[in-house]
Amino acid sequence: MRDYQAEKEKYYWTTAVIFIGRDLNKALIRYLENRFVDIARQCKRYLVLTKNTYRNTVMKESQIAVMEEFIDNVRILISVLGYKVLEPVNKPAAIEENDGNEIEKEEIKLHLERTVKGIGKIEADGIRTSEGFVVLNGSHIAPEDDETISAGIKEKRSKANIVEGILQEDVLFSSPSGAAMFVVGKSANGLTSWKNADGITLKDIESDETK
């Protein structure tokens, strides 16, 4: 920990979360490090600075099973603590039933299509998640924006991995309207802009779910 802190000019961090376990030897720790790095990269919430891990650690099947259970427990605990580093951005949203239990909403891919003056037709896909709304990798993003969108949306547009107008990663937003404005670069109502395969708006979908 002191070594990392000494290099804070290059690798700046403010929070450390540590999990310990009994009987963890060097081989098991190497296996865990590799798995956690891979999971964090797949979740794409943060820039993972670790470049190399021990990918070919030789272990018994019984040891792997125990370590995978350890990983599952860590993922649950770290999420409860409020750190989403090991949780994918496209985790399905949950709704509360009458009995108080939560179930996952049906994952419906929603589509946005809009013609932007001087650019042409813009098309994007998205889904609702437990944290908001995700614009999916492969969506077409308008190259320009105007003053009708917030500074926060402008910043996300400038920092997102977009190649030749195509989004290269899933991007999370707190609302469907924020997601829609990110796509078209202009003010937009996400509840009416996002529609399912049958052309039903997100507003009507959510209205039906609350009946």
Side-chain angles (χ1 to χ4, degrees):
M1 296 292 286
R2 284 195 297 269
D3 289 342
Y4 279 111
Q5 190 175 31
E7 297 184 30
K8 65 182 179 181
E9 293 297 325
K10 187 175 181 181
Y11 304 122
Y12 184 77
W13 53 272
T14 57
T15 302
V17 181
I18 300 174
F19 288 90
I20 60 174
R22 291 179 295 179
D23 304 321
L24 288 179
N25 57 35
K26 186 177 291 187
L28 299 180
I29 291 172
R30 287 176 173 177
Y31 178 85
L32 289 173
E33 179 189 25
N34 179 63
R35 288 284 288 117
F36 282 129
V37 167
D38 280 348
I39 293 169
R41 283 181 177 146
Q42 291 167 14
C43 291
K44 298 180 180 179
R45 288 181 179 270
Y46 300 95
L47 173 64
V48 180
L49 296 174
T50 302
K51 294 180 179 179
N52 300 309
T53 59
Y54 293 90
R55 293 184 173 276
N56 300 312
T57 304
V58 178
M59 292 171 48
K60 298 177 182 178
E61 288 188 12
S62 58
Q63 291 176 311
I64 292 175
V66 171
M67 289 303 96
E68 288 299 320
E69 183 179 357
F70 183 90
I71 290 167
D72 288 341
N73 290 334
V74 168
R75 295 182 76 163
I76 293 170
L77 289 170
I78 201 169
S79 179
V80 170
L81 291 171
Y83 303 105
K84 306 295 185 180
V85 63
L86 302 178
E87 188 172 302
V89 296
N90 56 2
K91 181 179 178 180
I95 56 176
E96 188 171 304
E97 294 283 89
N98 292 332
D99 58 7
N101 294 321
E102 285 192 345
I103 61 170
E104 287 187 352
K105 289 181 181 177
E106 179 185 358
E107 186 173 305
I108 304 171
K109 182 175 281 190
L110 297 161
H111 188 73
L112 182 154
E113 185 175 317
R114 181 166 172 177
T115 300
V116 179
K117 186 177 180 180
I119 298 172
K121 187 164 68 173
I122 298 295
E123 295 187 80
D125 293 312
I127 57 172
R128 297 174 296 174
T129 76
S130 57
E131 297 171 77
F133 195 96
V134 169
V135 178
L136 297 175
N137 173 16
S139 294
H140 188 190
I141 307 300
E144 298 177 359
D145 53 45
D146 63 23
E147 297 307 313
T148 63
I149 62 174
S150 69
I153 298 297
K154 285 178 178 286
E155 184 178 9
K156 277 206 170 187
R157 285 172 56 83
S158 67
K159 291 183 176 181
N161 183 7
I162 302 171
V163 178
E164 296 182 352
I166 304 299
L167 187 64
Q168 304 297 308
E169 59 187 352
D170 295 342
V171 181
L172 173 66
F173 296 86
S174 60
S175 71
S177 290
M181 289 186 280
F182 171 85
V183 170
V184 301
K186 300 176 182 293
S187 178
N189 182 341
L191 291 176
T192 55
S193 297
W194 294 103
K195 301 176 182 179
N196 68 10
D198 297 320
I200 300 172
T201 66
L202 178 57
K203 181 178 180 180
D204 289 336
I205 291 170
E206 293 189 343
S207 177
D208 287 341
E209 288 175 345
T210 58
K211 288 181 179 178

